[in-house]
């Protein structure tokens, strides 16, 4: 398990409680010391207690990976390259890599799994993605949750599902790796734009229309970049979008809401002391779409607000005319 | 305009402020007196002030209807038959009838527009339905809203759109009268079931999965009862479902939540002092489906809880296994 955030912590809980050994790489040495001393992650889901006979926190990346059959990526998208580039190009040769990251490699506009495949010369059958409408906080509370494992390799997908399934987690395999991964990225754009609208005083009627139009925008984009039949009302797509767009606690929504209320992008980021993944997602998807030329009014509106300093109120006036 | 509830009040505001004359039939004579004296509906959206040069509240049904080109139905579904059956069978001969009702004729399991067509011998080109993700409360606040007018007659649909369009209402025509009307009924079943789950302690992860599966359940039912190509991610379907299922104020959700927390159906109804439309919708759709035999796990679960006294916790345990 690579990453020390809330999602990494939730997945480590699920996997280890099911009996798997988890070598858990975290960047912060203080957190590792705290975990080893108290069996709790001090920063995220701190009520969860880990069994240290199964969970091995470490700051040594090579050590964490060496014996693993599976590599689960759960660092922020911006850290994937700096972290993984430390590894030998053959380090993942015989491993299966499952990404739980909801963002793209910055600067490259590349899916995380595509980057991993290229950098470590892996076949697509070694790759998977974890998606699903899943607040990590609800996993900590053991509330009923559903996950989807997307992989072109049915055996890999099912194998990882079996590692996850328990009393409160249902997991299903799917074969649409790219579509699920793109959708997980794009949902943050929608949550962010929903936040902008909220910050400007738009209400629930508008949000429902925004999300409905978002499903159509995501569908058009996926059909252009990776055409194949897919039902976007499946939980891995629509469910994931809903849990993010309707969450009061989403960073993307909060960030968007501050921008809508008049904060500059810079000051919203400083105020939040973190970067919302959606901020980068907007740029990646917008740039990818320069070639594809799909009609994407929501992404374009968010791009112009965040990267071209168009006033949010002006941009939303334009956007609202394009929705229906 | 027939009806004195919040939706009737909101639509009367929109139509009259656009310049239309609205003869407004309300059942409660006290409310009519209050409206005539203060220009406000005392019960619903009471901040809205009406222009009595355009709005004519009356308790006389024949008078309300006599001169009207359009009849807008906005009474509770249970009152459609008792109210309309007082009218002469030729009373609506040359009128266009638009239903804003989100329920079916009880006992008959019939769409409101089908009942009206049958009773008054109207052609389908005289009928329409108003749908859209639209809290009446947000209309009162003049928040940006979107409505869809469904009618087999494109001119009727567009004509009513034009009566509605204003600074904060965007309206679009659609031709799927039946699908939109059924979906408006079924969304209340989903909100009610979401409420049951909430009352039992299920969280946002589960709700997102429930709503995603609901889209598929609604799609299957519509394809069986009225097959035609339709995109359920359009605002008239998905948007309407979202605004109801995610509303904290939805009566259906509140009712479901009380049942989930252990209230009997009877005591939940007494406590709320009103009947949630979803309660009847469950029965109508479940009974219609006895012939169609569509796989409808959500509707079936709600039916068994509400009409067969199966414990909500037991039924949700079964339902959760059927979702993905």
């Amino acid at each position: 398990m690579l990453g020390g955030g809330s999602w990494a912590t939730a997945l480590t809980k699920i996997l280890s409680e099911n009996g798997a050994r988890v070598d858990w790489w975290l960047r912060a040495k203080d957190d590792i010391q705290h975990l080893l001393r108290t069996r709790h992650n001090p920063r995220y889901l701190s009520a969860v207690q880990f069994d240290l006979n199964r969970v091995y926190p470490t700051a040594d990346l090579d050590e964490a990976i060496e014996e693993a059959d599976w590599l689960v990526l759960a660092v922020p998208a911006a850290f994937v390259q700096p972290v993984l580039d430390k590894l030998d190009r053959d380090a993942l040769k015989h491993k299966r890599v499952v990404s739980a990251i909801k963002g793209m490699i910055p600067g490259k506009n590349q899916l995380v799994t595509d980057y991993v495949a290229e950098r470590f010369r892996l076949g697509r059958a070694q790759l998977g993605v974890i998606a699903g409408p899943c607040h990590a906080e609800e996993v900590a509370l053991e509330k009923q949750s559903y996950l989807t494992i997307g992989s072109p390799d049915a055996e890999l997908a099912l194998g990882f599902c079996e590692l996850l399934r328990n009393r409160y987690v249902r997991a299903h395999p799917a074969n649409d790796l790219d579509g699920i991964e793109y959708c997980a990225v794009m949902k943050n754009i929608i949550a962010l734009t929903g936040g902008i609208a909220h910050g400007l005083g738009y209400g629930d009627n508008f949000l429902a229309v925004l999300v409905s139009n978002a499903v159509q925008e995501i569908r058009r984009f996926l059909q252009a970049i990776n055409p194949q039949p897919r039902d976007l009302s499946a939980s891995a797509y629509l469910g994931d979008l809903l849990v993010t767009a309707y969450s009061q606690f989403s960073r993307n929504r909060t960030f968007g809401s501050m921008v809508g209320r008049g904060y500059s992008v810079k000051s919203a980021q400083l105020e939040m002391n973190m970067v919302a993944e959606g901020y980068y997602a907007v740029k990646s998807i917008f740039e990818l779409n320069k070639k594809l030329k799909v009609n994407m009014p929501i992404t374009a509106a968010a791009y112009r607000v965040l990267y071209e300093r168009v006033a949010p109120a002006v941009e939303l006036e334009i956007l609202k005319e394009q929705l229906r």
Side-chain angles (χ1 to χ4, degrees), chain A residues 148-290:
Chain A
T148 298
I149 306 303
S151 173
D153 186 71
E155 198 203 318
L156 181 151
L158 196 59
F160 203 75
C161 284
E162 278 164 9
L163 294 174
L164 293 169
R165 286 171 180 161
N166 66 20
R167 183 173 50 79
Y168 57 90
V169 173
R170 297 180 62 80
H172 296 95
N175 62 12
D176 180 25
L177 175 63
D178 286 15
I180 289 172
E181 199 171 349
Y182 275 118
C183 188
V185 172
M186 295 175 79
K187 73 174 203 293
N188 290 330
I189 300 176
I190 310 310
L192 196 158
T193 310
I196 294 175
H198 178 76
L200 283 163
Y202 288 78
D204 291 346
N205 291 352
F206 183 78
L207 182 61
V209 170
L210 182 76
V211 172
S212 303
N213 281 263
V215 173
Q216 298 163 46
E217 178 162 324
I218 293 169
R219 185 197 292 144
R220 288 192 296 269
F221 180 80
L222 294 184
Q223 276 310 106
I225 203 158
N226 186 287
Q228 73 170 69
R230 44 172 78 86
D231 175 7
L232 284 202
S233 67
S235 293
Y237 312 95
L238 177 60
D240 211 356
L241 172 61
L242 292 180
V243 92
T244 307
Y246 279 95
S247 167
Q248 306 297 325
F249 310 106
S250 150
R251 291 173 232 178
N252 293 294
R253 185 185 156 97
T254 306
F255 174 75
S257 183
M258 292 177 77
V259 170
R261 278 182 286 134
Y263 281 72
S264 70
V265 169
K266 199 87 190 168
S267 52
Q269 286 174 344
L270 285 171
E271 188 77 23
M272 286 181 68
N273 200 19
M274 56 163 64
V275 172
E277 292 268 22
Y279 174 74
Y280 298 114
V282 168
K283 191 161 194 281
S284 290
I285 299 295
F286 185 84
E287 287 179 352
L288 278 174
N289 193 41
K290 279 184 182 164

Side-chain angles (χ1 to χ4, degrees), chain A residues 1-3 7-8 11-12 15 65 68-75 80 84 92 94-103 111-114 116-117 120 122-132 147-164 171-174 177 180-181:
Chain A
M1 178 68 61
L2 263 55
W7 198 209
L11 289 169
T12 299
L15 293 166
I65 286 175
D69 300 314
W70 300 84
L71 182 64
V72 182
L73 302 176
V75 296
V80 171
L84 292 187
L92 309 184
H94 302 294
K95 299 188 192 298
R96 293 163 152 191
V97 180
V98 179
S99 171
I101 297 167
K102 295 166 179 192
L111 290 177
V112 168
T113 54
D114 284 342
V116 169
F120 297 99
L122 305 187
R124 282 178 57 82
Q126 287 175 268
L127 299 167
V129 65
I130 307 179
L147 294 169
T148 298
I149 306 303
S151 173
D153 186 71
E155 198 203 318
L156 181 151
L158 196 59
F160 203 75
C161 284
E162 278 164 9
L163 294 174
L164 293 169
H172 296 95
L177 175 63
I180 289 172
E181 199 171 349

Side-chain angles (χ1 to χ4, degrees), chain A residues 54-124:
Chain A
R54 290 179 186 157
V55 176
Y56 296 86
T58 174
D60 184 328
L61 188 60
D62 291 306
E63 186 185 292
I65 286 175
E66 201 175 5
E67 309 240 336
D69 300 314
W70 300 84
L71 182 64
V72 182
L73 302 176
V75 296
F79 297 131
V80 171
Q81 214 182 341
V83 168
L84 292 187
D85 284 7
K86 290 178 196 148
L87 291 172
D88 189 89
R89 277 183 183 267
D90 289 325
L92 309 184
K93 209 170 181 176
H94 302 294
K95 299 188 192 298
R96 293 163 152 191
V97 180
V98 179
S99 171
I101 297 167
K102 295 166 179 192
M104 305 185 75
I105 308 291
K108 289 173 159 291
N109 303 335
Q110 197 176 24
L111 290 177
V112 168
T113 54
D114 284 342
Y115 170 74
V116 169
E118 189 181 291
R119 162 88 194 168
F120 297 99
R121 293 170 299 208
L122 305 187
R124 282 178 57 82

